[in-house]
Amino acid sequence: MNGNDILARLGETIDSRKPEAGGDPSASYVAKLFHKGLDSILKKVGEEATEVVLAAKDGDPAKLTYEVADLWFHSMIALSALGLKPADVLNELARREGLSGLEEFAARPKG
């Protein structure tokens, strides 16, 4: 099972729930989030990030895995709302591969 394929398929499903794609807020959680707007989507991302931190502090691997999946999912909705795809994030990670974290940080645009 290829993780890139799963992310791409999930991204396509998320995109299909957008209002312009005919997503029905009464029938789809994702369509409902899109209908509520970017602020609601971002609020949900923040909530999920907090839940990841709490799960990590609890030290329960299954709970942490579950919460990270929720965070990734809601982050993908935010990406889609802003016209981005999972491949955009994967390409950025590929660009960073092999760089030390310090080198990557130093190479970021200042501003």
Side-chain angles (χ1 to χ4, degrees):
M1 182 170 12
N2 183 330
N4 294 352
D5 292 343
I6 292 168
L7 291 175
R9 283 195 312 271
L10 181 55
E12 290 169 5
T13 299
I14 289 168
D15 286 346
S16 76
R17 303 300 196 261
K18 288 179 164 182
E20 59 269 24
D24 179 0
S26 68
S28 164
Y29 169 75
V30 173
K32 186 175 180 177
L33 275 178
F34 279 128
H35 181 74
K36 288 181 176 182
L38 186 60
D39 285 349
S40 290
I41 294 167
L42 297 177
K43 180 179 177 188
K44 193 65 183 167
V45 171
E47 290 171 7
E48 297 301 340
T50 299
E51 291 175 10
V52 166
V53 171
L54 295 173
K57 289 190 71 66
D58 287 346
D60 180 343
K63 186 175 178 182
L64 178 59
T65 301
Y66 181 89
E67 295 300 345
V68 168
D70 278 353
L71 176 59
W72 285 14
F73 177 75
H74 288 89
S75 295
M76 289 177 66
I77 295 170
L79 288 168
S80 177
L82 296 169
L84 296 167
K85 305 276 186 206
D88 295 311
V89 176
L90 294 173
N91 290 339
E92 176 60 16
L93 290 171
R95 183 191 68 77
R96 295 180 188 187
E97 187 176 18
L99 293 176
S100 83
L102 296 175
E103 288 172 331
E104 194 280 326
F105 184 75
R108 291 182 189 176
K110 308 296 185 248

